[in-house]
Amino acid sequence: MAIKNNLRFFGKKQKNNSSQAFYSISILFSLMYLQRVVRGISLSFVLIILGAFLAYVFRRTLALELSIEDYGLFYSLLSFFGFFMLFVDMGIEQATTKRIVELLQQKKKEQIPSVVMTILFGQLAVSVVFSLLFLLGTNFIAAYYFHNAHVTSFFFILIFWFLTTPLFTFCAYILLGFQRTTWYTALDAARMLIVVLISLIGFRYDVSLYVPVIAYALINIILFLVTYPYIISFFHEMRLFSVRIWKTINKTEGLGILHYSIPVAFTSFGWIIITQTDTIVLTYFTSLRDVGIYNIALPISLLLLFFMRPVIIVFAPLVTELATAQRFEKLTEALTLAYTYLFVLLLPFAVGMALFPEYIISLLFSEKYLAAVPALQLLSIGTLFYSFSLFNNIIYTGIGHATKIAKTVASLCVVNFFLTILFVGVFHWNIIGAALATTISYILLFITSTYGLAKQFSFSFPLKIWVLSIIFVSASALLLQIFKKILPWNNLAEALLCGTLFLLFYVFLLLITKTVQVQQIKNILARAVL
């Protein structure tokens, strides 16, 4: 059954008002799916907040204990290995998750062990090859890319982290494929908890870059050993370290997943280019101090993704399930609902970051990183659009159109690469140039991916609500600037009071104009607890 091509996009008048649209959604998006989505998102959101808090504790600990240069070096190393991690992942995690869901839907659970073990051994083989190449080229990389001979000792340790990453992804795609989204989300929170604990203990004995590097090197093995007993309970008589396991290798399944994963891999490559090019280029063209400053602005801006990530985690297997069952009308209504309320939720937080960057950086890290203010202001707006692009990506992948999003991302990653080189390497705008290039790429990616998605579904883009939300948040920001000039508050009080007034006035405008209706939200929550 072909997906209906009934385009209703930017500038087109919607046939129903917001109440009628919600009534249609309530009928089409059945109670069962609505319960799953809202419950899954709610619990995943709690775990993601926990993981985010732990990630913040980790970054803050590093920022306070290490010098700006060592802090920048650590994230330069992670960006370097993260780039090459693409060749290990090759889109396998998303493709394998999709294949597991398909086999479960087709009542062929007995084939899943063969699939996951084939992928695990294949990824381990690739990681071994790259690890050997890193070992042979360590001195060259340290001298000509990092421009620092002392990098070699840290580099050797992180090679072990790179080598063992397939064990972590093995647990991840099984949990997500079996739709254990809570466990999947908890996996990341557990990862950060272990890294934080090792770092806090380590810094008591040695305040050096070796502490977080060793923590990262150990994390994959620890999580695998902890998670494996639960993973194995999904199957019968599957033992990883048994000689019999080699008999389960299925080249046909492996090649089938690889065939699907290649477009996903190109998409992943694009995401890495767009999100990591700035750190990689800054490392080569500027100083480790600039890299350290920029890696304060970047993670703060990515706080916005904490609202989107639980939605993505829950929607990823659900989209595949709905597409396999050819229930596209429910998926279309879910998209409309998600685009409406997620933008209303994310917008004030993005604008708030742009309004209070000094307070946020000082509060979360320290005043020595205030040079990151302009980069944070740019990235906070760009990340708003990036979050929706990530959401679009899982929709394309779930319905089997990974090639389309791959082409879009590939085109934009080329644009991003040249913009970053131009702004940083030629114009020497350093961290501001990197942030500007990334923000432009985020916005272009959102526009192109959303337009392409709209052509696949009878997707009603909530243009009116988006425009009204932008107007209301602008009015709230203007009112805030007036209050800041009138009332002589100190820094902390100003940040808290201004932020509260800003959000309250924004919500008041949404409700008084009925852009968002309380009854609609109550209906969603009521269905979640039935």
Side-chain angles (χ1 to χ4, degrees):
M1 177 179 178
I3 300 175
K4 294 181 180 179
N5 183 13
N6 180 17
L7 176 60
R8 289 183 292 167
F9 195 58
F10 297 106
K12 289 200 173 184
K13 185 177 181 180
Q14 300 180 16
K15 294 181 179 179
N16 303 315
N17 58 32
S18 59
S19 297
Q20 292 171 327
F22 184 79
Y23 178 75
S24 175
I25 291 169
S26 299
I27 295 175
L28 293 174
F29 198 54
S30 68
L31 180 61
M32 179 183 67
Y33 289 110
L34 190 59
Q35 287 176 347
R36 281 178 52 188
V37 170
V38 178
R39 285 178 180 173
I41 288 174
S42 300
L43 190 52
S44 294
F45 182 73
V46 172
L47 290 170
I48 286 172
I49 289 296
L50 175 61
F53 174 73
L54 292 170
Y56 160 68
V57 171
F58 178 66
R59 278 187 177 266
R60 179 176 172 81
T61 301
L62 296 190
L64 296 179
E65 296 289 347
L66 303 176
S67 66
I68 297 178
E69 288 75 16
D70 279 349
Y71 178 84
L73 175 58
F74 178 73
Y75 285 102
S76 291
L77 286 165
L78 290 189
S79 293
F80 177 87
F81 282 104
F83 178 84
F84 287 97
M85 200 73 75
L86 166 73
F87 300 99
V88 177
D89 179 61
M90 285 296 291
I92 293 295
E93 181 176 337
Q94 294 181 57
T96 307
T97 297
K98 181 177 183 295
R99 183 56 180 157
I100 293 173
V101 173
E102 289 174 345
L103 290 173
L104 289 173
Q105 287 290 303
Q106 297 165 6
K107 310 298 183 184
K108 298 179 180 178
K109 183 179 177 181
E110 70 280 357
Q111 296 182 20
I112 295 177
S114 174
V115 172
V116 297
M117 298 313 300
T118 299
I119 296 304
L120 173 60
F121 284 116
Q123 287 189 299
L124 284 173
V126 175
S127 65
V128 167
V129 171
F130 273 95
S131 296
L132 291 174
L133 292 175
F134 291 147
L135 286 172
L136 294 174
T138 297
N139 292 330
F140 178 83
I141 295 170
Y144 292 96
Y145 175 69
F146 290 98
H147 311 297
N148 188 337
H150 298 293
V151 170
T152 54
S153 56
F154 307 120
F155 201 83
F156 280 128
I157 298 173
L158 283 176
I159 287 175
F160 184 75
W161 169 64
F162 181 90
L163 179 65
T164 57
T165 295
L167 296 176
F168 178 82
T169 56
F170 169 78
C171 297
Y173 57 64
I174 291 181
L175 290 172
L176 194 55
F178 278 86
Q179 300 193 41
R180 302 301 199 273
T181 53
T182 301
W183 281 85
Y184 176 82
T185 311
L187 194 64
D188 190 58
R191 179 176 67 89
M192 292 312 308
L193 175 62
I194 296 171
V195 169
V196 167
L197 290 177
I198 294 175
S199 299
L200 291 176
I201 294 172
F203 279 135
R204 296 186 62 180
Y205 300 96
D206 180 25
V207 181
S208 74
L209 189 56
Y210 282 104
V211 173
V213 168
I214 291 173
Y216 258 75
L218 296 175
I219 190 60
N220 292 324
I221 290 292
I222 294 174
L223 282 175
F224 175 75
L225 293 176
V226 171
T227 309
Y228 183 72
Y230 178 65
I231 292 293
I232 207 70
S233 68
F234 298 163
F235 311 100
H236 297 289
E237 301 179 357
M238 187 185 84
R239 298 172 60 186
L240 181 60
F241 300 105
S242 170
V243 176
R244 293 173 53 194
I245 201 63
W246 292 99
K247 297 180 180 180
T248 68
I249 302 299
N250 189 325
K251 294 181 180 179
T252 302
E253 281 285 3
L255 292 174
I257 289 176
L258 187 62
H259 176 74
Y260 177 83
S261 71
I262 288 176
V264 178
F266 281 111
T267 305
S268 299
F269 181 77
W271 294 123
I272 291 175
I273 290 294
I274 292 174
T275 58
Q276 298 296 328
T277 294
D278 37 19
T279 298
I280 293 172
V281 172
L282 285 171
T283 299
Y284 185 80
F285 283 105
T286 66
S287 65
L288 290 175
R289 181 180 180 84
D290 280 341
V291 176
I293 298 277
Y294 188 79
N295 275 278
I296 291 294
L298 184 62
I300 294 177
S301 69
L302 294 178
L303 288 172
L304 288 172
L305 298 185
F306 298 144
F307 295 98
M308 183 64 78
R309 191 174 175 212
V311 179
I312 291 174
I313 290 173
V314 173
F315 261 81
L318 183 61
V319 169
T320 299
E321 181 180 326
L322 291 174
T324 302
Q326 297 187 346
R327 308 184 74 172
F328 298 114
E329 74 285 351
K330 296 185 183 298
L331 184 55
T332 297
E333 297 298 339
L335 290 176
T336 304
L337 183 67
Y339 259 78
T340 299
Y341 285 97
L342 286 173
F343 185 79
V344 170
L345 173 66
L346 292 174
L347 181 61
F349 291 97
V351 175
M353 284 185 185
L355 290 175
F356 306 108
E358 299 90 351
Y359 302 145
I360 294 173
I361 292 173
S362 298
L363 180 64
L364 296 182
F365 293 94
S366 72
E367 294 183 356
K368 70 178 181 179
Y369 291 100
L370 286 179
V373 165
L376 176 57
Q377 290 176 313
L378 286 169
L379 289 171
S380 62
I381 302 303
T383 304
L384 173 65
F385 295 96
Y386 176 58
S387 62
F388 280 94
S389 299
L390 290 176
F391 180 76
N392 292 344
N393 180 55
I394 64 107
I395 302 298
Y396 278 107
T397 302
I399 63 175
H401 289 180
T403 303
K404 292 185 178 180
I405 189 64
K407 293 178 180 178
T408 300
V409 174
S411 301
L412 266 299
C413 78
V414 173
V415 173
N416 175 259
F417 178 76
F418 283 106
L419 285 178
T420 306
I421 294 293
L422 178 66
F423 295 163
V424 176
V426 179
F427 294 164
H428 303 293
W429 292 347
N430 295 354
I431 63 172
I432 296 177
L436 180 60
T438 300
T439 298
I440 292 173
S441 301
Y442 284 167
I443 295 173
L444 291 175
L445 182 58
F446 162 76
I447 293 173
T448 52
S449 65
T450 303
Y451 179 78
L453 191 64
K455 293 195 296 185
Q456 298 295 326
F457 299 96
S458 53
F459 171 40
S460 298
F461 187 86
L463 179 62
K464 179 180 177 181
I465 294 178
W466 277 43
V467 171
L468 288 175
S469 298
I470 293 172
I471 293 173
F472 296 156
V473 82
S474 300
S476 302
L478 179 60
L479 180 67
L480 194 60
Q481 295 301 321
I482 295 175
F483 272 106
K484 287 175 66 176
K485 292 181 179 180
I486 296 176
L487 301 179
W489 301 318
N490 60 52
N491 287 346
L492 180 59
E494 179 179 353
L496 294 175
L497 186 56
C498 285
T500 302
L501 290 175
F502 172 72
L503 288 175
L504 288 177
F505 190 65
Y506 173 71
V507 172
F508 171 77
L509 291 176
L510 289 172
L511 296 177
I512 198 67
T513 59
K514 296 184 178 180
T515 303
V516 172
Q517 298 185 30
V518 176
Q519 189 58 46
Q520 295 178 357
I521 300 174
K522 286 182 177 180
N523 288 340
I524 295 176
L525 296 177
R527 284 167 170 77
V529 298
L530 284 177

